[in-house]
Amino acid sequence: MTAPVFVVDVVPGGPEFVLDGPEGRHAVSVKRLRAGEDVVLTDGHGRWVEGVVKAAEGKDRLVVTDIAEVREEPEPTPRITVVQALPKGDRGELAVETMTETGVDEIVPWAASRCITQWKGERGLKALGKWRATAREAGKQSRRVRFPRVADAMTTKQVVAFLAEVDLGVVLHEDRGYGSEPLASAELPSSGRIVLVVGPEGGVSPEELAAFTQAGAKTCRLGRTVLRTSTAGTAATALLLTRTGRWS
């Protein structure tokens, strides 16, 4: 089993480091790590080190020693972003969790016209904070050292401008009548940015679809079945990671 991952503000250069606070408490009281076990310390932005537990002190202090040289994981390419329409309930956090575990690089919350949930004021800030916390925890659980960025929520107009600047924009759409082609056979760039747009449970509106395609995006379908908004982004990300060679 790979070593558990813990987040630090600054990746230590060694030779010894004390992990305390919430991360130390999680390591000592939840993971119950003991002397001799391996750990990974990361800033979540690609920099990381390996170390060995020297001692667990109290309930929230983990002393790490034998810290190796700091490494940096390069930015992946092509970079995969999912523009995720706001689901209702906790399905947004489910989508963020599974997309993070799968390997998405960026998640953009989208206030689509058919979204039941709307992020406004303090409620919106709280919801965005939950998405970011979920990405952080899922990044740790899946042993990532470069966590996905969760951007501020975008309007449809902002998504249109975003799609106009990427190497490939794809709107997931199940209706063949809109000329959607299989994502499994769509031509993909070997580098740059790929952006997937996942609509709400009510679907992408005709007006939104027209705006996205005018910005250069194409419509693609995943398969014969119709996935929920909370799972479509994860399935599409997995397909792209396989096709681009990032999973090979």
Side-chain angles (χ1 to χ4, degrees), residues 47-218:
R47 289 172 60 81
W48 63 285
V49 292
E50 293 176 307
V52 179
V53 176
K54 180 179 180 180
E57 301 175 347
K59 296 181 179 180
D60 62 356
R61 283 174 57 88
L62 194 77
V63 182
V64 181
T65 190
D66 294 340
I67 293 175
E69 181 180 357
V70 177
R71 304 179 190 179
E72 183 159 5
E73 182 178 284
E75 284 271 9
T77 187
R79 181 178 175 84
I80 299 173
T81 297
V82 173
V83 174
Q84 174 67 58
L86 306 179
K88 56 187 177 182
D90 59 359
R91 286 189 170 273
E93 290 155 55
L94 172 64
V96 171
E97 180 180 58
T98 55
M99 285 191 287
T100 298
E101 292 172 357
T102 304
V104 76
D105 302 303
E106 184 179 26
I107 300 167
V108 178
W110 169 38
S113 63
R114 292 178 176 175
C115 285
I116 296 175
T117 299
Q118 295 293 329
W119 287 3
K120 295 180 180 179
E122 289 297 320
R123 179 183 178 183
L125 292 175
K126 183 178 180 181
L128 179 60
K130 285 184 177 181
W131 279 34
R132 287 173 172 165
T134 298
R136 172 187 168 107
E137 293 307 308
K140 290 166 54 181
Q141 186 278 327
S142 55
R143 309 295 198 262
R144 292 182 63 166
V145 296
R146 186 179 289 278
F147 301 164
R149 173 178 179 265
V150 179
D152 292 339
M154 287 188 182
T155 63
T156 296
K157 184 176 180 180
Q158 290 171 320
V159 174
V160 170
F162 185 44
L163 288 170
E165 297 178 350
V166 302
D167 298 278
L168 174 64
V170 172
V171 182
L172 296 182
H173 203 288
E174 74 279 5
D175 192 342
R176 294 170 185 261
Y178 283 92
S180 57
E181 62 178 297
L183 184 60
S185 58
E187 186 176 352
L188 303 178
S190 59
S191 60
R193 290 192 296 173
I194 300 175
V195 174
L196 295 165
V197 178
V198 178
E201 295 292 352
V204 179
S205 73
E207 295 77 16
E208 290 166 338
L209 189 60
F212 294 157
T213 54
Q214 188 173 1
K218 62 170 64 177

Side-chain angles (χ1 to χ4, degrees), residues 174 176 221-227:
E174 74 279 5
R176 294 170 185 261
R221 61 185 185 276
L222 281 172
R224 294 182 180 275
T225 60
V226 178
L227 280 69

